[in-house]
């Protein structure tokens, strides 16, 4: 009988964008070794810099254990290392067909019982479970950006997620010093279902000329206690990812408040995607991204 690996032995992270970089930073800072996979070599190069900066910042802010030797990072353009994974976190572009294809490949390659995680913002886990060999091994985590600074993680239990996977994610998140809140599967779960239409409405208010970007964020912060303001949050998320997620929500719920407004669509067309591209609703110096 083969024993199930502890999820922290070697974490494979698929996708070296905003979230893959952030999740890798968090894991490495807690002593977990990471293999980071992306098909785009430029993204891998950016991620290596981002991880080094992120580790420095999180250490300076006291958000990582001071007495832990960082894990080792391996970056690669191919998923050939997936077979040896003790857990896999998928954090590629918010595209249901892409995620299903990748998760199918991964689940065919890993040992049975290996924890499979999707960090999707909105795609139901049970929909992705149709693609994998063992749906019981699959669940969702919704790490927020930046993962090393935000302590709470939304965990999504799909209809077919097994108890062993739930225990394994507890083990993993415990080792990463994260608190978890478990929710049922549904488009957008809790956080995206509430936050993403709200950001869309904030952008629509600007589009209609009711108030400036700065005024919307100042009111949401000053009067309603939102930590950064919805439009600064949009920049942090990435406006392309926000639009993808809104479209997933619109298609699966029919809720018209999720139809991305023209201002968001214009920004995606113009490539002003937020922090990661240097400009979105605000502009960012290179060293602030
Ligand atoms: P991103 O656009 O910054 O990065 C996506 C990465 O996936 C890119 O580097 C791309 O090259 C890579 N990729 C695409 N196809 C691939 C493949 N076949 N194999 C390997 N890599 C591939 O996106 P992101 O913001 O990091 O979001 C990733 C996931 O996390 C999405 O599902 C998103 O909805 C979710 N999420 C995002 C945030 C956020 O604040 N940005 C928060 C929570 C969850």
């Amino acid at each position: 009988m083969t024993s199930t690996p502890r999820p922290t032995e070697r974490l494979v992270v698929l996708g070296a964008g905003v979230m893959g970089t952030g999740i890798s930073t968090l894991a490495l800072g807690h002593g977990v070794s990471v293999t980071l996979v992306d098909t785009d070599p430029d993204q891998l190069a950016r991620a290596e810099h981002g991880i080094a900066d992120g580790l420095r910042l999180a250490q300076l802010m006291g958000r990582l254990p001071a007495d832990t030797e960082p894990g080792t990072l391996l970056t690669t353009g191919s998923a050939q290392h997936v077979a040896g994974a003790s857990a896999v976190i998928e954090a590629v572009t918010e595209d249901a067909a892409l995620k299903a294809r990748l998760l199918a490949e991964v689940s065919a390659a890993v040992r049975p019982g290996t924890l499979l995680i999707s960090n999707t913002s909105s795609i139901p886990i049970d929909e992705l479970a149709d693609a994998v060999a063992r749906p019981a091994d699959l669940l969702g985590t919704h790490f927020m950006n930046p993962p090393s600074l935000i302590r709470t993680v939304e965990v999504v239990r799909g209809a077919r997620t097994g108890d062993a996977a739930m225990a394994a994610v507890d083990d993993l998140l415990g080792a990463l010093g994260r608190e978890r809140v478990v929710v049922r599967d549904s488009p957008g779960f809790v956080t995206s279902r509430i936050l993403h239409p709200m950001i869309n409405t904030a952008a629509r208010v600007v589009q209609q000329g009711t108030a400036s970007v700065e005024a919307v964020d100042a009111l949401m912060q000053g009067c309603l206690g939102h930590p950064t303001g919805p439009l600064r949050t949009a920049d942090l998320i990435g406006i392309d990812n926000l639009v993808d997620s809104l479209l997933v929500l619109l298609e699966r719920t029919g809720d018209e408040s999720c139809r991305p407004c023209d201002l968001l669509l214009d920004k995606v067309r113009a490539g002003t995607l937020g922090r990661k591209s240097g400009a979105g609703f605000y502009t960012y110096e290179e060293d602030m991204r």
Side-chain angles (χ1 to χ4, degrees), residues 212-246:
S212 67
V213 169
E214 291 77 8
V216 168
D217 277 350
L219 287 166
M220 292 299 286
Q221 281 184 277
C223 300
L224 298 177
H226 193 275
T228 53
L231 300 171
R232 211 175 280 285
T233 303
D235 278 0
L236 190 63
I237 291 172
I239 297 171
D240 52 344
N241 176 233
L242 177 66
V243 165
D244 288 344
S245 173
L246 282 165

Side-chain angles (χ1 to χ4, degrees), residues 17-19 38 43 91-92 94 99 119 121 142-143 237 241:
V18 171
M19 293 311 293
D38 202 294
Q43 285 290 84
V92 301
E94 187 75 349
K99 284 181 189 288
N119 195 58
S121 299
H142 196 193
F143 284 92
I237 291 172
N241 176 233

Side-chain angles (χ1 to χ4, degrees), residues 183-202:
V183 303
R184 276 177 53 189
D185 198 18
S186 179
F189 324 117
V190 173
T191 50
S192 303
R193 187 69 185 89
I194 296 171
L195 178 68
H196 290 189
M198 190 269 269
I199 297 176
N200 194 30
T201 303

